Amino acid sequence: MNMTKKSILMAVFFLYLFVHNSSATNIRVQIISKAPEYFKAMEDAIIEIILENQALINQNPDGSMKTEELLPQQIFDATYKTFNEVVKNFDKKELTSKKLSPKRTTYLLTSLLQAARITIARSQKAIDTESDGSIKLKKFIPAVFGLQVTRRVMEKTDLKLKQTTLGKNQLTARNPDNAPDKWETRVLKKFLIRIWKGDRGFAQRTTPRNVNLKMTPNDNANLT
């Protein structure tokens, strides 16, 4: 996964998950055993958020539908097409495989979310174009969509998910909800100056809270 300074500063959002538990072994077992649940929750959240925002993104002033392109199933199908471009030869049977690891689970979840964000980015013109050809910004952008999806997944599961970024010119995230805390800022800077190999992510188990923190970079620069 090639990561450039420009993409990190201006485009890339990062996502991490952490699971409360009593030991590293239990955390591993929990993540692997719940992988199908986590993945299904992400799939459902993508469709639900698109469905709930149809009036905003896919409705003409007279109440008619603008385009089939923005229907939930079409967005979901386009998301999966992009997801499969990134995750080669993915089979859902992998989610119940004994070979599945927390690292792979995290990668699959972040890749699915990022694929959905990319789909929204590619659909932005359709979202913001009215039936008369005029442009009306709906503010339903990838970051907003991603935030809604992650919140929905957290409602459905025990995962904690967050998109965060250092922001343009390392100033701050435009959305305060996406602003990094001290730990996240430190890890983002590691990614930025390549102290840590980007596609490996960064993990740390903290005490005394017994929280397993994992932060994974996702670069959409090569897919848009």
Side-chain angles (χ1 to χ4, degrees):
M1 186 180 297
N2 295 322
M3 299 181 66
T4 65
K5 180 177 290 188
K6 180 179 179 181
S7 67
I8 292 175
L9 294 181
M10 300 182 66
V12 177
F13 280 79
F14 299 81
L15 182 149
Y16 72 85
L17 70 83
F18 59 91
V19 181
H20 291 262
N21 215 310
S22 58
S23 70
T25 299
N26 286 341
I27 289 171
R28 177 183 175 84
V29 171
Q30 179 178 339
I31 293 175
I32 294 174
S33 66
K34 292 192 173 184
E37 173 192 337
Y38 295 156
F39 201 81
K40 180 64 163 54
M42 183 75 76
E43 291 179 324
D44 290 346
I46 291 169
I47 292 178
E48 289 169 9
I49 297 303
I50 294 299
L51 179 61
E52 292 167 12
N53 283 279
Q54 283 293 291
L56 172 67
I57 68 175
N58 196 26
Q59 184 171 292
N60 292 313
D62 63 3
S64 61
M65 180 181 68
K66 290 199 302 185
T67 173
E68 291 187 356
E69 174 190 343
L70 298 176
L71 289 174
Q73 191 59 51
Q74 275 69 13
I75 292 290
F76 186 75
D77 290 345
T79 292
Y80 248 89
K81 181 178 179 181
T82 299
F83 175 73
N84 285 319
E85 291 173 4
V86 178
V87 183
K88 306 296 184 182
N89 303 314
F90 173 70
D91 187 328
K92 281 194 175 181
K93 292 180 180 178
E94 179 182 351
L95 297 173
T96 55
S97 169
K98 293 181 179 180
K99 295 181 180 180
L100 187 66
S101 66
K103 177 181 178 180
R104 178 66 173 176
T105 302
T106 305
Y107 171 70
L108 293 174
L109 288 170
T110 56
S111 296
L112 182 58
L113 176 60
Q114 190 69 348
R117 283 169 46 96
I118 291 168
T119 300
I120 295 301
R122 290 172 174 169
S123 302
Q124 206 67 65
K125 183 177 181 180
I127 291 172
D128 293 336
T129 302
E130 298 296 299
S131 55
D132 61 1
S134 63
I135 301 297
K136 182 179 180 181
L137 301 181
K138 306 298 176 61
K139 298 183 179 180
F140 191 77
I141 59 176
V144 171
F145 168 70
L147 180 60
Q148 292 183 23
V149 169
T150 56
R151 284 176 173 172
R152 184 60 54 84
V153 172
M154 287 192 289
E155 290 173 3
K156 293 173 177 288
T157 70
D158 58 2
L159 285 178
K160 293 291 183 180
L161 301 168
K162 182 180 179 182
Q163 301 173 132
T164 188
T165 178
L166 292 174
K168 188 176 181 179
N169 298 323
Q170 300 187 59
L171 296 177
T172 184
R174 287 186 296 178
N175 186 338
D177 289 331
N178 293 333
D181 61 21
K182 290 182 179 180
W183 184 85
E184 294 159 5
T185 298
R186 179 165 60 87
V187 177
L188 285 170
K189 288 181 177 179
K190 285 180 181 289
F191 289 146
L192 179 62
I193 61 178
R194 295 174 179 267
I195 288 177
W196 198 263
K197 187 177 179 181
D199 59 357
R200 288 178 57 196
F202 181 87
Q204 179 180 339
R205 184 165 180 265
T206 66
T207 56
R209 293 184 301 159
N210 288 326
V211 177
N212 187 62
L213 297 171
K214 183 173 179 62
M215 202 165 189
T216 303
N218 260 299
D219 185 2
N220 65 12
N222 297 323
L223 294 172
T224 54

